[in-house]
Structure formats: C-alpha cells, structure tokens
Amino acid sequence: MDAFSHLITGLQAALSISNLLMALVGALLGTLVGVLPGLGPTSTMAMLIPLTAVLSPSSAIIMMAGIFYGAQYGGSTTSILVNIPGEVSSVPTLLDGYPLALQGKAGPALGIAAIGSFVAGTGGVIGLTFFAPVLADQALRFGPPEYFALMVLALTVMVSVSGSSIIKGLLIGAFGYLMSLVGIGPTSGLPRFHYGAPVLYGGFETVTMAMGVFAIAEVLAGLEESRKAVTHHKIEKLFPNLRDVRQTMPAMLRGGTIGFLLGLLPGCNPAVTAFISYDVEKKVSRHPERFGKGALEGVAAPESANNATSSAAFVSLFALGIPASPALAVLMGGLMIYGLQPGPLLFRDRPDFVWTIIGSMYIGNVMLLVLNLPLVGLWARLTRAPYAIMAPVILILCLIGSYSLRNSTFDMGMTLIFGVIGYFIRKYGWPTAPLVLCGILGPILEKSLVNSLAMSAGSPMIFVTRPICLALLVAAVALLLISLKVLRKNVKEEY
Amino acid sequence: MRKSVTGDRVAGGIFILLGVVSFIEGLRLRPLRARGMPGDDAFPTLLGLVMVGLGAYLAIKSSRQPRPVSWPDRRQAVSMLASGAILVGYWLLLPLLGFPISTFMASAGLFYNFGHYRWHVCLLLSAVVTAAFHVLFVTWLTMPFPEGVFGI
Amino acid sequence: MKTKKVFVALVVSVFVAGIAGMCLVQAAEPAYPTKQVELIQTAAPGGGQDAVSRAVAEYVTKKWGQPVVVVNKPGGGTVVGAHYALKEAKPDGYTIFAEAQIPSSMMVAGMLNPPIKLEDRIFIARVVLDPICFAVNADAPWKTFKELSDWAKAHSKELTWGSTGPFGTSAFGVGEWLVSLGLNPLDTRMVVSSGFAETIPRLLGGHIMLACQTVAEFYPLVKAGKVRALAVVSEKRNTHLPEIPTATEAGVPGLKGVNWWSGVSAAKGTPQYVVDKWAKVTEEMVKDPTFLEKMNNLHVTVSYVGLNAFRDAVYKEAETYTMLAPKLGVRK
C-alpha cells in the first residue's frame, strides 16, 4: 500500500532526535495549554510563530501540531479536578468528571480520559493516514443546508445537558445564544446589540463566557462553602483498573468515531463533537440516569470525541489546504512562512514533509499517553491540596487566559461579569452547560440558515430536497423524541 | 396568601425583559435587510419571542415549593465581595501598572482573602506565582501585555 | 587688532550657530523608537495580512534595533483593532496600525456611519497588494470568463457566488463585474462566509458556482487543478499565476478590479518624524531580498506607495466602492 510505505518513511523521519524533542515540547506545551483555563492552542501557536525563524519547517510544524492535539488531552484535567473546563471542548467532561472527583475517583476518571484520548486520537491519525483524500472529498458534500441540519441535531443535545428542567435549560441556552449574537451580523456586515460602543463590535468569545460561568463562579462557590480542598472524600483509587477500561471501551470507540467523522467538516470543532458524543452515549446507555452523577462513560465519550476531532481536522488541511479551525489557520500561516502551501500540492511535491508530520502525530499521541497516565496520581492528589492556594491561582489564570484570546482587557472584564451571572445561575440550581452549547452552535446555525436560504433564493424546500440534509433533520427529530421519552421516564418534576 | 416572589418568578421576569430587548433589536435591524430576505433581524426577533414566551411560562407556572436557596453568611459574603473587588482591581490596573506589579498585588490580596495567611506568607506566595506566570506567559509565550506607567 | 577681533567674532558666531543648529536638529527629531513598538493587526493570526505584518515587523526590528511586535486584535469586522490603534492608544508612535482595505476604503463604503473614518489616520505606506481572481470548480461547464459572463447574463437569478462579507473584497469584485454586465447584484444569490476557509469548500463541493478571492488564496488549488481560475482582474497578468488571463484578455473588458492590500498607518496626531521614519524604512524594506522572498512565498505582489500617494489611492478606492455599495444592498 502506497500510504503504508509512506507512513513507514515518515515514522522513521519522525523518530529523529530533533523531531522527537519537538514532539515532546509540543506535547508538553499542549497539555499545559489545555490545563490552563482560558489559554487555548490558537493564541499559543500564534505566539510561537516567531520561532519559525529559527526552527526547521518540520520541527516547527511538529511542535505546533503537538500543541494542537495535546491541548485536547489537558483540558479534561481541570474539568475533572476542579469543575473548571480547560478548553470549551472539556465542558461535557465535567458533567460526570467532577462528580467522580467528589467521590474520590478522580484517578480513574483522569486515567480513562487519557486512555480514551489516546485511543481516539490515534484512531483519528490512522484515518488521516489511509483515507485522507477520500474523506476530504466526502466532507465537501456538506454545504450550508447540511450544516444547518447538523446544528439542529446538535441542539437536541440541550435536552440531555439541561438537568432536570428543560424550560430552564432552554432559557439558559437562549441567553447563551443571545450573548453570541452581539457583534457583526452575518448578512449585513453591520453590528448587532452594540449600542454605539465600538468595543462591542467584536462580541463575546465563548471561552470568556465559559471561564466566567464555570471557573469564577466555581471558585466563588468554593469560598462560600469554606472549602478546604476540592474533595473531602478519601481518594479511593488512583488509577483506573482493567474493568473500568473494558467498561468504557465502547464509549471510547463511539466517541472517537463520532468525533472523527464530524471533525472532517470544517467548522465543526472539538467542543461540538464532545457535546454530541456525550449525548449519544447517554442515549445508548442502559442506565442513563447514571449520567451527571459520575458515569465513567460520560468522561470517556467526550474526551475521545474531542481528540478524534483534532486528528480529523488535519484531513481537510492536508488534503485540501482548508484550515478547519482558527488554530489550524495559525499552523497554516506557519507553513506559508516557510513557503509550504498545504493542500494537494504538498502531498505531491513534499511527501517527505507531510509524512514526517503524520508520523510524528502517532508518536505525539503515545508521548501524551505516557506523560498523562503517570501524572494522574499526582493530579488526583491535588484534589486534597489547600483550596486557599489553588483558588487564587485559578482566578488569576482565568483572567490572563481571557486576555490572551484577543489581547483584550475587555474580555477580562466580561469574564468577571459572566462570573457573577454564573454564580447566580448555579445558586438557583439552573443548568450551565446549555449556555456554552448554544453560544457555540448558535452562530453556526444562523449562518447556515441564512446561507441556505440565499442559495435557494428564499425557498425552504432546499432542506428537504437534499438527501444528507433531510437525513440529518429526520435524525434530529428522532433523537429529540428519544431524549424527551428518556427525560419523562426519569424526572418527576412537572417541567 | 402571600404571593411568594420566588427565584423562578424573578428569573422569568428577567428573561421576559431580555426577550423584549432582543425583539427590539430585531425591529431595529429589520430595515437593514439586504435583498428582502430574512437577514440579521431574524434570529434576534425569534429569540426575543422565545424568551418572552418561556419566561412568562416560568413566571406563571413556577413551583409552589421553591427550592431552598442558601445565601452566604456575613463573613463569607465579605470574603467573596473582597475577591470580586480584587479581581476588578486587577482588570482595571493591568493596563496601568503592567503585568508583574498588578499580578503580584492581586494574587497577594487573593491569598490573604482565601487563606488568611500572615502577610509575609501571602507576599512570598504571590512572588512565586508572579514569577512563575511571568516566565510562562511573558518569557516563554511572549504574550504582549500592556506596558504600564512603569514601562514593564 | 581690528581684523583679529573680527576673526574671533566670526569664529565664535560660527561656533555658536553650529551648536544652536545641532540643538535645533536634535529638538526637531528626538530618538525614536526607544522602546517596543506595537503593530496592531486586525486579522487573526495565520492569514495573509498577519503574515505580511510579521514580515514587516521582523525587518523593522532588525533595522531599528528595537522590537516591533505584531499584536493581533481581531473581531468586529476589523473595527475592534482599528478603534484601538487609531482612537484609543496614545498617538505617540509606539502604536502603529497595520492598514488594509477592509478597515479603510471598504468600511467607509459599506457603512453609512462607519466608526472609523479615513480622516482618522495618517497613511504611511502600502507595501503589498494582490488582485482578485474569478474561479469556478474544475468540473464546472464554463471554460472561459466570457462563457461565465454570458451565462450569468441569461441566468442571473440562479447564480450562486461566495462572498467574504457583504461589503468585502469578493463582494465588491463580483459586484463590479455584475454591474458591468448590466445585471443587478441583488438578483443573484450571494452566500456569505467569514473567509476563504469557508468559501473554498463550498466551491469545491459544488454548493456555490463562483468564488472571487485573491491570487494568493487560490494559488494552491489552482496549481493542484481543483479549481479553474477564469480571470485575474488587473492590468497585466499576475507573476505568480501567469497562465491565467486578465479579465480584458478573457473577453470582459473595463473592470477596474478590487485589490487586497496591506500597509501601515498611524493615528491622527502622531508626530511627523515618526511617520517619516516609517515611510523611509518601508521604502527600503520593499527592496530587501529577504522581505521580497517572503512575499514571493506568500504569492503577493510587492507594490510600494507612500504617504500622500498612498492616501490619495485609498480615497480614490473609497470613492469607487462607495458608488458600488448601494447596488450591493449595503450602506444603510
């Protein structure tokens, strides 16, 4: 097989000392970036662009790629330990991860997250290796109507993450969506909800909202409860055992598949796939009521999905030269500085380069597993560390993180405001996850709808005459009905 | 019977208000429609209606037994407000004093607030944290922070 | 003696005049820069604008020995970054703005009340530009620009085309073309995206028929044969894609075209010596082989225009776009 022999060559090149070192640096930095709330791979990679002047192309790109998929490993750590997502894609992880930590089971949770990330991440790279061109072409069949249908399907996830009250979940989601509307409108190019202030033209970043509602509010709650440490339960297990792995393996595979397939679509980021796979896992489970209270599958599925998505993102980058997300746009910028244009040309003219990068992605995933698993014990013990020391560090980090998104002090202020809002949301027991979910999905939904109608000159028939779109919409309705049935079975409250 | 102002009622009211705000913005955007098709006004209008509708439903149908909500006692409340004030101060002073100084002051204040350590312990912890962050964000990641009046 | 006194007086006066002259010169030109300069970029990191600014920053840093750092402030259709650089920051020369067509000519053309106007800045220099290019899918039935134009005339209501923003580079480019054919752009189906990363998959997947992006953005896909470039709208053929005919050669004359460009400007009130220094260094930069090589890698065209000439060019552009804007349904 042509791809196979290329891969072997690539692996050999990736095993050179300098490339191994770069992969390690990338993996470490990526994990760190993932752990630190607010700081994301995009801003980190952008800050490291000047290094391209001193590093060779493969070294620089290996490191940047390592940061990109490494971040998906690190995000789960803070989600599980302190109920604060390191990345937006780790928000679903905290729904079950944090309850597990409170039960003293942070170790197994972290371990499963790491293993799932490895399995799905590597699976994704395998997909990239052997099927990139075919997959990329298939992904092109998704146009605006298909994206719209996919977003509708993703919105049905709201029911799953709304806790016990759909009405409250919907309202929180509506609020989250309202926040995402602030900024430039898709059709007119003119600002909405700006009330004359130029700084509001840029709107709010989802990460800012997530940091405020999850991190700041969480720490305030900790202060209120006079917490001494994250958990007072004795730490029962430090590592996952084989039974845990066997139990969650199907979840990992399902999450990985969903994450990979959806990740092929440019614009479908790890956060979206993590939510969807969490929801799917809950639906296929025989005991969905366990979710939200500490189900290991609830950690395995989203963590696998977000890693598979980060691998899949390279498919459209290498096969077509299309960056699937802002972080990959930075990576592409790095390539352009070297005069290397990603796309079909790169495979043809510089196969050595491309396959070295792909080879190093396998190695990077192994490194990340090796890095993260032994550290699980250390991280788990942090749940007993004094809150008085962790909390200030977390707070300062959040503010620095939100600043780093757009080099904007405005974002810092917004994090604080959302912190206050988040405090009151949690006080009254309202769900918080829909805020983030709708904040991400809303804009894509609107743009897709508007563009679909533009394509069809205003006719809504476009949604039913295209097969993929129709299939997704039918699936969305089906999933919604299943969700409502499951909810009715489990919840006694009226709404 | 006293009509209880439950949390749900208040929340319902807030959402009705937000819904109206959204709807009004939708109205403002209506004439800006390009090509006569639903444009930027569509979702604000729709969202406004949804929020008003659901908010009203919530306010009217709110649970008879409101969920007990505990508020922090005085000492905790003071602590929380102090944290908030320190963070707001950090936000506002960062452009003025620069990254190292403002981070040092903010973290010292927060360590005292959370842990009630003695002052010199707070300052020491704060110095360690500030140094670590400086190495991480400024030296390694070369993040461009605003230079304060002291030029650092 | 008298001559000796005159001689001494002369020497002293020359001496004094010399010192006074030196003081005057020094007072007129304080040392700049003495610390880090921020180059504010309104595009997100990783794109073409960002790459050009980073190359500029690198050259100027080397030349002046003080760091010039690119600070990305994306968002709000370039309003956030432009407002910060031109209105919020102190106009002391330590905050320079990476100028481009979107925060300048296109913004004032597309918005009736733009938050940033052309008068709010001092134009220093434009360094690179890139003309637009019309392209269709490689499987599309139109082989030449003329064929596409003829089809568009007959089927304008069915034409779907991608646009990066309702008054962005592609919108004005396609708008001008449609108007020149005697068509109403509002009859056609404009599909808005936030950048070429969204437009290109739609073109490749057959969801839109036509895309209008810069040469640099189309370059890899044209070379790989996935996209058929029908015409480049400029006077001469493009050096990076010489096989593509100009619009005139392809049978559609009279198009002025739209240029993507990148340059440098400063806030109103910035001292003149700062402006002059930047104008001079950028003029040297466009002759520097390292810079030229980097621009070549990016597939853009180096084209220097400074100070007043730059300002006039932008104002002229703004005039053209302002006339075109109402036909696109913007400028409300």
Side-chain angles (χ1 to χ4, degrees):
Chain A
M1 258 197 297
D2 207 22
F4 198 68
S5 57
H6 273 129
L7 179 62
I8 301 294
T9 328
L11 276 170
Q12 285 175 324
L15 283 168
S16 78
I17 299 292
S18 65
N19 286 338
L20 274 179
L21 191 65
M22 283 295 121
L24 184 64
V25 168
L28 278 172
L29 260 179
T31 311
L32 185 67
V33 161
V35 167
L36 294 176
L39 200 61
T42 314
S43 24
T44 315
M45 286 155 74
M47 290 182 238
L48 294 176
I49 286 184
L51 281 181
T52 57
V54 293
L55 293 171
S56 76
S58 45
S59 298
I61 302 299
I62 286 178
M63 181 180 69
M64 281 199 182
I67 297 175
F68 180 67
Y69 55 80
Q72 303 303 333
Y73 275 81
S76 50
T77 309
T78 46
S79 274
I80 294 170
L81 290 179
V82 289
N83 209 27
I84 295 172
E87 298 291 319
V88 181
S89 56
S90 304
V91 169
T93 311
L94 57 78
L95 295 173
D96 278 273
Y98 187 59
L100 281 167
L102 288 177
Q103 294 160 24
K105 295 191 188 142
L110 289 166
I112 291 294
I115 294 174
S117 299
F118 172 74
V119 167
T122 307
V125 184
I126 293 177
L128 166 68
T129 308
F130 295 110
F131 304 113
V134 168
L135 290 170
D137 279 338
Q138 286 307 307
L140 288 176
R141 296 171 61 193
F142 273 69
E146 284 74 26
Y147 271 84
F148 175 74
L150 187 62
M151 289 301 115
V152 170
L153 193 142
L155 276 179
T156 63
V157 171
M158 273 243 280
V159 177
S160 289
V161 300
S162 290
S164 53
S165 163
I166 304 190
I167 300 286
K168 292 181 176 171
L170 285 173
L171 280 170
I172 293 287
F175 178 67
Y177 186 31
L178 184 66
M179 292 295 107
S180 77
L181 283 177
V182 178
I184 301 280
T187 58
S188 66
L190 296 173
R192 295 190 288 194
F193 295 101
H194 66 297
Y195 302 113
V199 74
L200 284 176
Y201 276 61
F204 310 125
E205 291 269 334
T206 316
V207 181
T208 311
M209 294 200 295
M211 285 309 108
V213 167
F214 287 97
I216 309 265
E218 176 69 29
V219 174
L220 284 178
L223 190 58
E224 186 176 341
E225 294 162 21
S226 301
R227 271 186 224 162
K228 291 285 180 294
V230 171
T231 175
H232 54 274
H233 284 257
K234 209 167 83 75
I235 294 191
E236 289 175 30
K237 294 191 286 184
L238 273 179
F239 288 98
N241 56 31
L242 210 55
R243 195 174 64 104
D244 292 332
V245 177
R246 251 207 325 243
Q247 180 190 338
T248 53
M249 186 56 77
M252 292 182 193
L253 293 173
R254 268 189 293 264
T257 316
I258 294 175
F260 184 73
L261 290 177
L262 291 179
L264 293 169
L265 306 170
C268 211
N269 59 32
V272 174
T273 58
F275 269 107
I276 293 180
S277 81
Y278 178 83
D279 184 48
V280 166
E281 204 51 43
K282 188 168 169 179
K283 285 184 173 62
V284 304
S285 164
R286 254 171 271 167
H287 300 279
E289 65 281 356
R290 288 195 305 126
F291 281 73
K293 305 199 183 73
L296 268 177
E297 294 87 336
V299 169
E303 280 304 310
S304 307
N306 64 27
N307 276 72
T309 302
S310 67
S311 298
F314 282 91
V315 170
S316 52
L317 182 70
F318 282 143
L320 297 168
I322 298 165
S325 70
L328 283 179
V330 176
L331 193 108
M332 205 166 123
L335 280 170
M336 290 200 316
I337 290 182
Y338 287 116
L340 293 163
Q341 289 264 304
L345 275 184
L346 202 62
F347 262 113
R348 196 187 67 193
D349 298 338
R350 293 290 311 270
D352 55 314
F353 176 78
V354 178
W355 288 105
T356 306
I357 306 290
I358 297 181
S360 113
M361 282 171 76
Y362 285 101
I363 296 175
N365 272 291
V366 171
M367 279 188 181
L368 281 161
L369 182 69
V370 167
L371 271 176
N372 280 291
L373 266 185
L375 288 179
V376 158
L378 181 66
W379 292 125
R381 272 187 247 271
L382 269 182
T383 56
R384 302 296 301 269
Y387 209 71
I389 297 199
M390 296 237 288
V393 173
I394 293 172
L395 286 174
I396 302 272
L397 274 174
C398 279
L399 287 185
I400 297 179
S402 30
Y403 174 83
S404 78
L405 293 167
R406 301 186 291 190
N407 295 316
S408 151
T409 47
F410 170 73
D411 286 340
M412 284 169 80
M414 283 320 297
T415 307
L416 292 175
I417 294 179
F418 277 106
V420 172
I421 294 176
Y423 172 75
F424 284 105
I425 293 179
R426 294 150 62 109
K427 203 84 195 90
Y428 286 92
W430 288 51
T432 46
L435 187 84
V436 172
L437 181 66
C438 286
I440 311 170
L441 295 180
I444 311 179
L445 184 81
E446 182 178 17
K447 264 194 324 199
S448 313
L449 178 65
V450 158
N451 279 329
S452 304
L453 290 177
M455 280 166 68
S456 67
S459 156
M461 291 303 291
I462 192 172
F463 296 114
V464 295
T465 49
R466 294 166 68 113
I468 304 181
C469 180
L470 187 61
L472 285 171
L473 283 174
V474 167
V477 171
L479 282 175
L480 186 65
L481 290 174
I482 298 178
S483 296
L484 289 174
K485 203 168 73 135
V486 165
L487 193 72
R488 203 144 284 169
K489 222 169 30 145
N490 294 328
V491 174
K492 289 146 223 150
E493 273 173 77
E494 197 164 87
Y495 50 85
Chain B
M1 189 135 63
R2 200 161 48 105
K3 197 158 94 161
S4 53
V5 181
T6 61
D8 282 356
R9 281 243 156 79
V10 172
I14 294 177
F15 279 106
I16 293 177
L17 205 68
L18 285 174
V20 169
V21 166
S22 184
F23 191 78
I24 291 178
E25 185 72 2
L27 286 178
R28 179 187 81 88
L29 290 166
R30 212 153 213 270
L32 297 172
R33 273 184 176 190
R35 302 145 185 268
M37 267 198 298
D40 290 352
D41 59 310
F43 273 72
T45 313
L46 189 65
L47 201 64
L49 290 171
V50 166
M51 282 173 106
V52 167
L54 289 177
Y57 180 79
L58 189 68
I60 296 170
K61 257 201 143 222
S62 66
S63 181
R64 298 290 151 160
Q65 276 98 355
R67 187 193 152 112
V69 173
S70 67
W71 292 103
D73 62 30
R74 190 189 171 78
R75 197 175 67 94
Q76 291 160 337
V78 166
S79 205
M80 287 162 69
L81 286 171
S83 303
I86 293 174
L87 289 175
V88 170
Y90 184 44
W91 165 42
L92 294 172
L93 291 175
L94 182 69
L96 270 171
L97 297 176
F99 178 71
I101 296 179
S102 44
T103 308
F104 180 74
M105 283 168 53
S107 48
L110 286 174
F111 280 124
Y112 182 72
N113 194 38
F114 275 85
H116 297 284
Y117 300 118
R118 284 175 298 201
W119 276 109
H120 51 271
V121 176
C122 285
L123 291 177
L124 185 66
L125 283 171
S126 187
V128 168
V129 165
T130 306
F133 285 169
H134 192 268
V135 166
L136 175 62
F137 292 109
V138 180
T139 317
W140 283 354
L141 293 177
T142 62
M143 239 158 87
F145 283 106
E147 277 185 4
V149 291
F150 300 109
I152 41 169
Chain C
M1 263 183 279
K2 212 156 164 216
T3 20
K4 192 169 172 206
K5 271 202 200 145
V6 166
F7 182 66
V8 168
L10 260 174
V11 168
V12 169
S13 13
V14 165
F15 190 59
V16 167
I19 295 184
M22 264 172 33
C23 288
L24 270 173
V25 163
Q26 291 209 329
E29 200 152 303
Y32 169 85
T34 53
K35 55 175 182 150
Q36 170 175 298
V37 177
E38 285 188 342
L39 181 61
I40 308 294
Q41 172 54 258
T42 52
Q49 290 279 359
D50 181 65
V52 172
S53 293
R54 283 177 196 269
V56 171
E58 214 182 289
Y59 179 84
V60 178
T61 301
K62 248 197 302 248
K63 215 54 201 303
W64 288 350
Q66 286 286 347
V68 174
V69 169
V70 172
V71 177
N72 299 87
K73 285 203 184 268
T78 72
V79 169
V80 175
H83 193 261
Y84 173 79
L86 300 174
K87 296 244 172 118
E88 287 173 40
K90 266 200 304 214
D92 55 4
Y94 288 95
T95 309
I96 300 287
F97 184 56
E99 191 69 77
Q101 79 279 14
I102 297 187
S104 57
S105 48
M106 292 190 178
M107 189 189 287
V108 302
M111 294 195 200
L112 202 55
N113 291 308
I116 318 278
K117 305 191 177 50
L118 294 181
E119 302 79 58
D120 292 330
R121 69 263 267 171
I122 303 175
F123 288 97
I124 299 181
R126 184 192 74 196
V127 293
V128 294
L129 60 77
D130 200 9
I132 47 158
C133 183
F134 284 75
V136 295
N137 199 324
D139 302 328
W142 313 284
K143 302 270 190 306
T144 69
F145 199 29
K146 185 94 179 38
E147 274 177 47
L148 178 68
S149 306
D150 291 337
W151 184 90
K153 271 195 269 212
H155 300 98
S156 67
K157 288 204 177 25
E158 288 160 43
L159 175 70
T160 53
W161 53 281
S163 157
T164 51
F167 46 89
T169 316
S170 354
F172 282 116
V174 174
E176 187 196 19
W177 168 64
L178 289 171
V179 167
S180 80
L181 294 177
L183 297 169
N184 180 0
L186 293 175
D187 283 340
T188 61
R189 308 181 187 190
M190 177 177 82
V191 181
V192 179
S193 75
S194 56
F196 86 96
E198 270 183 29
T199 305
I200 300 271
R202 289 178 189 161
L203 184 70
L204 292 174
H207 307 287
I208 56 176
M209 298 168 187
L210 166 70
C212 173
Q213 306 281 156
T214 65
V215 167
E217 285 163 347
F218 273 137
Y219 183 87
L221 289 165
V222 169
K223 287 283 181 191
K226 295 250 177 193
V227 149
R228 181 185 301 142
L230 297 176
V232 70
V233 187
S234 59
E235 276 175 20
K236 291 202 289 274
R237 292 204 174 195
N238 192 277
T239 44
H240 299 288
L241 287 175
E243 61 268 25
I244 311 203
T246 64
T248 315
E249 285 172 2
V252 184
L255 290 180
K256 271 191 288 194
V258 165
N259 277 331
W260 169 105
W261 50 263
S262 184
V264 177
S265 68
K268 208 162 53 165
T270 307
Q272 188 61 35
Y273 64 87
V274 171
V275 173
D276 289 335
K277 223 169 169 201
W278 270 96
K280 192 156 156 288
V281 78
T282 48
E283 197 174 358
E284 289 162 11
M285 179 179 70
V286 295
K287 306 192 190 100
D288 175 63
T290 321
F291 182 76
L292 289 172
E293 192 193 324
K294 285 197 186 146
M295 294 302 110
N296 198 36
N297 281 342
L298 292 172
H299 310 292
V300 296
T301 312
V302 172
S303 160
Y304 178 85
V305 151
L307 294 169
N308 286 339
F310 181 32
R311 189 198 63 209
D312 294 340
V314 178
Y315 271 82
K316 194 150 157 286
E317 240 180 45
E319 241 179 72
T320 317
Y321 298 152
T322 307
M323 283 201 300
L324 196 50
K327 305 203 176 73
L328 289 171
V330 293
R331 204 177 169 72
K332 302 213 169 100

